[in-house]
Amino acid sequence: ASAGQQPAPPQPPPDRPDGAGASAQPKPPQPAPAAVLAAPPVELPPDAVTTLKPEAVAKMQRGVALEKAMASSPAAQVAAADKPVVQVTITSADGIRNADTWKTGDKSDPFCTCSLRKKDGKLVKKFDTATIQNSLEPVWNHPEQAITDWEVGDDLVFEVWDKDPMKQDDFLGRAELKCEAFFPNGFDGRRQLAEAGQGISAGLKVSVRVSASTQAAAAGQQPPPPPPPGVGKAVAGAREGQQPPPPPGGQQPPPPPASVAKAAAGASAGQQPAPPQPPPDRPDGAGASAQPKPPQPA
């Protein structure tokens, strides 16, 4: 410095293996996961994104998906106001065969079962009648019984059996009612028993009534569960422009700073935001107009 030589300019730091040097390039953004890209878009009301929190938007998305699933189900298409419930009455049978011929003077002890044949072919047993002792013309008059888990497309299957406490029950015949035979207008009549035995012409008298779940509830049956609470109200409120209800516990979110609120109000009124002001000069010369100090002699 005393010989008038200029100091050497500072050298840029060398590149580091981790890419933190002067010439390190920023990493490119990572693509979104395939599951996110493949997810179908969910239609939302125009004001949902601006008036609801992210948690409320996610909840409303689930509600919209649930409403679409419910609206596309067969039960919702044929009975949108209420889910139908099947009421079954088993009255009597006639002409059944005698399965207790091994004992002189004894006859069959028949009882009847009611099952659902689901759309996938699975047989689900629902209830049995009482057993009538020593009768080939049993009259059960089983009281009307609701089947609340019946769905459109499910068939009804009735089977008559001979009760044998000492051995396996004997099969006496089967009658099947297809869904279209009793839905939606019900059924009341006699059905021929299939597989009743060689030379046997037996029949079964039943009654099927289709009602709404509200009527089943009045008769002491439980209606199907409703959608999750708050889902329908959240979707309807967002479509009508209503604000979402406060979060549980009564806690309100903190208000935004005054500067943010003022800027938002000015933006909504069409005003341009004020340009940033330069920092004031400080006594130590660190402000915008401070001049750099001259180099001191060595």
Side-chain angles (χ1 to χ4, degrees):
S2 59
Q5 298 178 358
Q6 295 295 331
Q11 298 295 327
D15 294 343
R16 295 204 326 224
D18 57 359
S23 60
Q25 299 295 329
K27 294 182 179 181
Q30 298 295 327
V36 176
L37 298 177
V42 178
E43 299 178 2
L44 295 177
D47 59 343
V49 178
T50 59
T51 61
L52 299 180
K53 292 184 177 181
E55 298 83 0
V57 173
K59 183 177 181 180
M60 189 171 61
Q61 288 176 334
R62 294 193 299 268
V64 171
L66 178 61
E67 286 185 350
K68 287 184 178 181
M70 294 176 62
S72 62
S73 64
Q77 294 175 0
V78 297
D82 224 339
K83 181 181 177 181
V85 175
V86 170
Q87 311 275 353
V88 179
T89 302
I90 300 178
T91 306
S92 61
D94 61 85
I96 62 175
R97 70 182 179 89
N98 185 8
D100 291 342
T101 56
W102 56 275
K103 185 177 181 180
T104 305
D106 201 2
K107 297 180 181 179
S108 296
D109 304 320
F111 68 96
C112 185
T113 67
C114 177
S115 303
L116 282 181
R117 188 181 300 280
K118 306 298 289 184
K119 288 174 285 188
D120 58 0
K122 183 179 179 180
L123 200 64
V124 181
K125 185 177 178 180
K126 304 310 298 183
F127 66 90
D128 298 346
T129 67
T131 300
I132 305 297
Q133 302 292 329
N134 296 323
S135 177
L136 303 182
E137 308 284 333
V139 178
W140 295 288
N141 283 330
H142 188 83
E144 186 177 66
Q145 190 153 344
I147 303 179
T148 57
D149 58 341
W150 175 85
E151 297 178 347
V152 177
D154 295 346
D155 302 329
L156 290 172
V157 179
F158 303 93
E159 294 181 345
V160 181
W161 296 80
D162 169 46
K163 190 69 174 181
D164 284 323
M166 305 299 296
K167 62 182 183 70
Q168 187 177 3
D169 297 339
D170 296 316
F171 180 72
L172 299 178
R174 177 187 297 107
E176 187 165 349
L177 274 180
K178 296 292 185 181
C179 176
E180 55 269 20
F182 62 86
F183 181 79
N185 298 321
F187 175 85
D188 186 12
R190 181 182 181 273
R191 282 286 182 172
Q192 193 77 13
L193 287 176
E195 305 176 43
Q198 186 175 3
I200 300 297
S201 178
L204 179 70
K205 186 176 182 182
V206 297
S207 176
V208 181
R209 184 170 61 91
V210 180
S211 64
S213 61
T214 52
Q215 299 176 359
Q221 302 292 334
Q222 295 295 331
V231 172
K233 291 183 179 180
V235 176
R239 290 172 179 171
E240 296 176 2
Q242 299 176 4
Q243 294 296 330
Q251 298 180 0
Q252 297 293 338
S259 59
V260 176
K262 185 177 180 180
S268 62
Q271 301 177 3
Q272 296 295 329
Q277 299 295 330
D281 293 344
R282 297 203 326 225
D284 57 359
S289 60
Q291 298 296 328
K293 294 181 179 181
Q296 299 296 328

